Amino acid sequence: MMKRRLQSLPACFTFLTVCFFFFLLLLLTAPRRIQAQTVISFDRASVNVMKGKSRQLGIRCKDKYTVRSTDTSIATVTHSGLVKGKKPGDCEIVVKSGDESATIPVHVLRSLRSKSGEFLFMGHRGYQDQYPENTIPSFQGALDYGADGVEFDVWCTKSQDLLVFHDATLNRMCKKNGSIRSLTDSSRRKYKVTRRGKKASIPTLEETLRFLKQNDAWAFIHLKYHGGPEYFGERADLVADCVRETGMTEKSVVFCSSGSTVSFFKKNHPDIALGFFYGGSSAAQARSYMSKAKRWGADWFYLYQKAPITYQNVKFAHELGLKIGLYQTTTKKQILDLLDFGADFSMMYHKLI
């Protein structure tokens, strides 16, 4: 009896093995339903469009979809994503595909002078297209046309005076020979900056900051002659002290294109907001410099007009904790792109539209 049972074991084992492999074959060859997930995405964070104008929205969806505006009296949209502003206000574009839907906010502006959130319109050297650049009349002109503040350049002279001026020499703006660093607080009064028949005096940093403080305006302070602590040194103390003494700490950003100067300034004056200026044209390199700027201690990042304005660049900067914008904006499209991508400022030299 025992012998008979032992002889039947190999046959039983073979049968079970065959069943196992047959079951495995069924699993491998059985038709499987794979639910394809529909993914809807856009090429920007929002859409800003002027009244009566159109903006192209990039919609990405691999399946059929429908698109509509939640308020057609404010904005309309075509299936291809062309958004047209009808009247100032806010609405949303809704894209639906199967059971999935996605929305993107739309803001219709009356003009580019309309403010969008915390976005800053800054006058580059004031309103330099019409007034003597880097002067009080130029700054007043920019504020009169809707700027939130102004960008200007600061030199530290040999006599330790802080003068607001762009060039290293007086030739272009004052039509005189000489170096800006050779001037003093008293001798600067003999020179006038000219533009379109208008003349104005060279202001000091203190005069400029007090003027902006009175007008509740922002100051973007561009440090000139900046090569790092080896020859900036105590001049950083002079700039920081002036910002504090004029009560402009909350609305001033000191920026330059030298990482060593940013690091030096951050170490000695951590209460002053700092910005780094990237003058290249590569989007990938710009992101590399954003990471470096953050390590150096920067709080703001300035892209030059040649640099690509992309949603990815803005998003990357914000993930690092940097505010970002474009230095020397020249077109309405650039401004609207900055607004669409969620940037923080636009700096322009012409009339703020």
Side-chain angles (χ1 to χ4, degrees):
M1 189 70 155
M2 179 65 70
K3 187 176 181 180
R4 213 179 272 176
R5 286 180 181 174
L6 289 172
Q7 288 176 342
S8 66
L9 280 176
C12 182
F13 179 77
T14 301
F15 176 76
L16 289 174
T17 302
V18 170
C19 288
F20 171 77
F21 279 106
F22 181 76
F23 179 72
L24 183 63
L25 183 64
L26 285 176
L27 285 176
L28 293 173
T29 58
R32 289 174 294 169
R33 289 186 179 182
I34 301 176
Q35 185 68 34
Q37 184 179 6
T38 300
V39 178
I40 302 170
S41 62
F42 307 105
D43 65 345
R44 59 199 64 219
S46 62
V47 179
N48 288 269
V49 61
M50 293 175 64
K51 176 184 175 182
K53 302 293 183 179
S54 298
R55 293 275 287 163
Q56 184 63 51
L57 168 66
I59 302 173
R60 300 188 187 94
C61 182
K62 64 180 181 180
D63 295 326
K64 293 182 179 180
Y65 66 86
T66 60
V67 58
R68 65 181 180 85
S69 166
T70 58
D71 192 335
T72 55
S73 68
I74 292 176
T76 59
V77 61
T78 66
H79 187 268
S80 64
L82 188 66
V83 181
K84 184 172 183 178
K86 308 294 285 186
K87 70 177 184 180
D90 298 290
C91 64
E92 290 183 328
I93 298 300
V94 181
V95 178
K96 188 171 183 180
S97 179
D99 295 330
E100 185 177 336
S101 64
T103 62
I104 185 170
V106 175
H107 181 58
V108 180
L109 302 96
R110 187 179 307 279
S111 73
L112 290 182
R113 289 182 63 181
S114 301
K115 303 300 185 292
S116 178
E118 295 300 315
F119 189 86
L120 299 177
F121 285 96
M122 302 293 292
H124 182 248
R125 304 181 210 168
Y127 185 3
Q128 71 174 99
D129 189 48
Q130 293 294 324
Y131 297 91
E133 64 182 63
N134 276 329
T135 65
I136 299 300
S138 183
F139 302 150
Q140 183 67 67
L143 300 182
D144 289 343
Y145 278 109
D148 296 293
V150 295
E151 177 270 352
F152 53 89
D153 308 276
V154 173
W155 289 83
C156 185
T157 70
K158 294 176 181 177
S159 58
Q160 303 292 284
D161 293 303
L162 298 172
L163 301 185
V164 176
F165 202 79
H166 182 270
D167 298 358
T169 68
L170 305 172
N171 302 54
R172 179 178 67 89
M173 292 185 289
C174 298
K175 312 303 180 188
K176 300 287 185 181
N177 293 326
S179 165
I180 185 65
R181 295 193 66 235
S182 66
L183 299 185
T184 63
D185 183 46
S186 57
S187 65
R188 69 181 171 95
R189 303 176 192 278
K190 296 186 295 185
Y191 298 92
K192 300 293 181 182
V193 183
T194 62
R195 174 68 175 171
R196 294 184 180 274
K198 304 181 182 77
K199 295 184 179 182
S201 301
I202 301 172
T204 63
L205 176 60
E206 182 180 356
E207 288 173 346
T208 299
L209 291 179
R210 291 199 184 283
F211 167 79
L212 295 175
K213 176 67 175 178
Q214 291 172 358
N215 288 273
D216 193 28
W218 279 81
F220 281 5
I221 306 168
H222 188 179
L223 297 182
K224 307 297 284 188
Y225 198 58
H226 47 266
E230 62 272 16
Y231 59 18
F232 192 72
E234 72 277 7
R235 295 162 191 163
D237 300 335
L238 297 175
V239 174
D241 289 344
C242 190
V243 170
R244 296 189 193 99
E245 289 169 5
T246 54
M248 284 291 289
T249 307
E250 298 299 319
K251 283 199 167 184
S252 291
V253 182
V254 177
F255 75 98
C256 64
S257 54
S258 164
S260 56
T261 302
V262 172
S263 297
F264 178 85
F265 216 104
K266 192 68 174 182
K267 179 181 177 181
N268 293 278
H269 305 284
D271 59 322
I272 305 295
L274 301 171
F276 181 80
F277 170 64
Y278 168 72
S281 58
S282 164
Q285 192 178 47
R287 290 192 287 274
S288 173
Y289 269 96
M290 288 178 204
S291 298
K292 293 178 182 178
K294 187 63 180 178
R295 290 197 300 271
W296 293 328
D299 308 288
W300 297 63
F301 195 85
Y302 298 66
L303 285 168
Y304 189 53
Q305 60 181 354
K306 295 183 297 183
I309 306 169
T310 65
Y311 175 56
Q312 289 76 17
N313 271 351
V314 173
K315 182 180 178 183
F316 186 76
H318 287 167
E319 288 173 350
L320 290 174
L322 292 170
K323 291 184 180 295
I324 186 171
L326 191 65
Y327 187 89
Q328 287 192 348
T329 313
T330 57
T331 67
K332 290 182 181 180
K333 182 182 182 303
Q334 287 177 324
I335 298 173
L336 290 172
D337 282 343
L338 289 168
L339 290 169
D340 286 350
F341 301 148
D344 302 287
F345 70 89
S346 171
M347 195 186 303
M348 58 203 82
Y349 65 86
H350 46 71
K351 179 178 177 180
L352 298 165
I353 303 169

